[in-house]
Amino acid sequence: MIDKSKRLDEVKYEIRGPVFEMARQMEAAGKTITRLNIGNTGPFGYALPGYITDALSENLEKAQGYADTRGLTAARKSILAQARDRGIRVTSPDNVIMGNGVSELIQMVLAALLNEGDEVLLPTPDYPLWTAATTLSSGVPVHYLCDSENGWQPVLADIEAKITPRTRALVLINPNNPTGAVYSPEVLKSVVEIAGRHGLLLFSDEIYDSILFEGAKHYSTASFTGEYPCITFGGMSKNFMMPGFRCGWMIISGNTDPLADFIEGITKLAGMRLCANVLPQYAVPVALSQPSPMVAMSQPGGRLERQRRICLDFIENTEGLSSVLPKGAFYMFPKIDLQAFGYADDFELAIDMLQTTSVLIVQGTGFNWTGEAHFRIAFLPEADELEAALSKVKARLDSRREAIAAGIPVLSEVLIA
Ligand code: PLP
């Protein structure tokens, strides 16, 4: 018997958890599943722009070897230039580090920072990798509330209340996954002020910064931090629709002197994995020299905006569901009145949805959310496919709600399985 490490016992990542596993088994048995569970543009016909495919094919040979541990200089210089344009104080391309996706960098910074029992302030709901990686690094995730009544903006008083002598860092995800919230400059300035007053390191995950709806504007946290250190995360997965290439970066801004030892730790970890995937880094300079294709897709008439509308209509027209209007990213996080539909919990909802409609969603508790029940939909499929999937979900939910209202007991598929 080979057991997994004890460290993993408390690590949760439900986006690829048991419901996802069940979907895989159904697919293996010949079922077609509509995957509304994950922010993967790959299967849904988002063609890479020609300037990216050209950069990839032209540099195939050059990308054969290992690169500098921090990444290709040209890529890092273009990221530095974009950061400066956004008002971020970053002095040298050495303060930009490339990773195999932001995912790797999240794990790297937390492993470099945390000692056993150190606390990290994370949003709830959150993108659960932040929580999982904190736990994996022997840290303690402490969740601060984002308020659905206030467009899912962070609750400043809750952040303050949860700071202890063990708190080391504060994480912002903006635009947010799973809520789609885009934070106002006032909120960001207040969070920066709180972090500064308590000496917390700021991590700002801005991987969706080009995906904005209805005129929403994104502000980088680091544009308000000046000389105060902040680490900003971005990448090619979402804005440039190439998650499979695994290409992300982090920008260490402000006065880096107080971070010298921590940066030495990050550099050690970056060196241990030799370098990040080299080929996509060749596409970074050309990609950042123009707006992301997601900008046009999020405008009125663009496909993402159309898909978002379809999702909103589904929520509006289904009694028992409601949602805050998402302003960024490509997720919706509707609230569901579980009782009205006869579900014991959101896990039962996700399994029942999968088994009766072949639509895969993620239950709200998968985002470390413990308030009223929610679930997440990624609205990435083309309009026709999305509409077809959501109308099956609506039919299932409507029939359950009507049965419950009529006093007829409803048996969830999860109980039959
Ligand atoms: N951060 C957030 C908020 C995300 O939603 C995701 C992926 O969904 C990531 C980071 C990871 O992105 P990457 O593909 O760069 O690893």
Side-chain angles (χ1 to χ4, degrees):
M1 297 293 282
I2 312 268
D3 294 339
K4 66 178 178 321
S5 78
K6 291 272 168 279
R7 274 197 323 277
L8 278 170
D9 284 348
E10 297 303 315
V11 174
K12 292 197 190 71
Y13 193 73
E14 292 295 319
I15 294 177
R16 291 184 186 254
V19 187
F20 174 80
E21 250 331 290
M22 186 176 282
R24 264 173 29 97
Q25 285 165 19
M26 288 168 69
E27 273 173 343
K31 276 245 175 227
T32 303
I33 305 294
T34 309
R35 289 172 175 248
L36 305 186
N37 62 313
I38 185 172
N40 182 13
T41 42
F44 300 117
Y46 293 81
L48 282 184
Y51 58 83
I52 291 194
T53 49
D54 287 350
L56 296 174
S57 55
E58 282 160 16
N59 289 289
L60 209 50
E61 272 181 38
K62 280 200 245 163
Q64 212 174 329
Y66 294 130
D68 181 279
T69 287
R70 288 187 176 81
L72 295 181
T73 307
R76 290 184 291 120
K77 279 187 170 165
S78 64
I79 294 161
L80 179 90
Q82 189 192 57
R84 283 183 174 159
D85 279 351
R86 294 175 174 183
I88 297 176
R89 278 191 218 176
V90 52
T91 46
S92 149
D94 279 355
N95 293 327
V96 177
I97 300 176
M98 306 299 297
N100 292 299
V102 166
S103 304
E104 182 187 52
L105 298 169
I106 290 173
Q107 294 177 64
M108 216 185 262
V109 291
L110 292 168
L113 180 72
L114 299 176
N115 290 308
E116 185 147 8
D118 282 348
E119 295 171 11
V120 180
L121 276 168
L122 305 150
T124 173
D126 72 343
Y127 173 57
L129 178 63
W130 278 103
T131 297
T134 298
T135 310
L136 188 61
S137 288
S138 308
V140 179
V142 177
H143 292 104
Y144 65 83
L145 263 180
C146 296
D147 181 9
S148 62
E149 303 288 309
N150 183 26
W152 288 113
Q153 299 281 317
V155 180
L156 301 171
D158 200 49
I159 294 180
E160 286 266 14
K162 288 186 172 147
I163 294 172
T164 76
R166 294 303 307 265
T167 313
R168 304 286 311 280
L170 195 162
V171 175
L172 287 164
I173 304 173
N174 175 37
N176 189 270
N177 174 7
T179 64
V182 176
Y183 299 160
S184 67
E186 292 71 33
V187 163
L188 290 173
K189 285 180 197 163
S190 302
V191 173
V192 167
E193 189 275 320
I194 294 171
R197 198 155 23 86
H198 295 274
L200 309 180
L201 185 53
L202 274 164
F203 293 134
S204 193
D205 181 342
E206 302 180 9
I207 195 165
Y208 298 97
D209 61 10
S210 292
I211 308 174
L212 301 161
F213 302 98
E214 295 183 14
K217 190 160 162 36
H218 175 262
Y219 296 87
S220 270
T221 308
S223 67
F224 301 115
T225 45
E227 285 303 305
Y228 192 78
C230 179
I231 303 190
T232 307
F233 299 82
M236 301 293 275
S237 292
K238 314 295 177 178
N239 292 345
F240 291 93
M241 309 171 299
M242 45 194 295
F245 279 90
R246 313 306 299 124
C247 182
W249 52 81
M250 60 181 169
I251 304 161
I252 308 170
S253 62
N255 177 8
T256 52
D257 292 349
L259 304 189
D261 197 51
F262 168 60
I263 293 173
E264 193 185 309
I266 292 176
T267 312
K268 187 185 275 185
L269 290 173
M272 282 160 61
R273 57 77 159 126
L274 302 176
C275 67
N277 191 10
V278 179
L279 184 58
Q281 297 185 43
Y282 278 102
V284 171
V286 65
L288 297 195
S289 68
Q290 54 210 302
S292 136
M294 284 295 193
V295 171
M297 284 190 238
S298 321
Q299 302 293 314
R303 76 170 273 190
L304 263 189
E305 171 55 22
R306 226 173 17 250
Q307 293 155 200
R308 173 174 171 271
R309 279 281 139 215
I310 290 168
C311 219
L312 282 171
D313 286 349
F314 151 74
I315 293 163
E316 255 167 43
N317 297 327
T318 308
E319 206 183 310
L321 299 187
S322 58
S323 177
V324 170
L325 206 62
K327 290 294 180 72
F330 36 59
Y331 307 101
M332 231 166 263
F333 197 58
K335 182 160 92 171
I336 177 161
D337 178 352
L338 288 179
Q339 235 184 343
F341 299 100
Y343 291 117
D345 54 34
D346 61 357
F347 182 72
E348 188 187 332
L349 158 78
I351 299 247
D352 183 57
M353 236 6 95
L354 176 64
Q355 294 194 334
T356 59
T357 68
S358 300
V359 175
L360 182 58
I361 48 132
V362 183
Q363 64 277 20
T365 46
F367 303 93
N368 295 296
W369 174 250
T370 53
E372 286 177 288
H374 285 68
F375 62 98
R376 188 188 75 171
I377 302 172
F379 52 83
L380 285 173
E382 282 277 18
D384 289 354
E385 194 186 348
L386 186 63
E387 230 156 16
L390 293 178
S391 69
K392 280 192 284 177
V393 172
K394 176 168 164 49
R396 174 67 179 166
L397 288 176
D398 284 347
S399 79
R400 284 188 68 115
R401 195 192 55 249
E402 283 156 19
I404 296 284
I408 303 164
V410 187
L411 210 51
S412 280
E413 291 292 321
V414 66
L415 301 177
I416 299 165

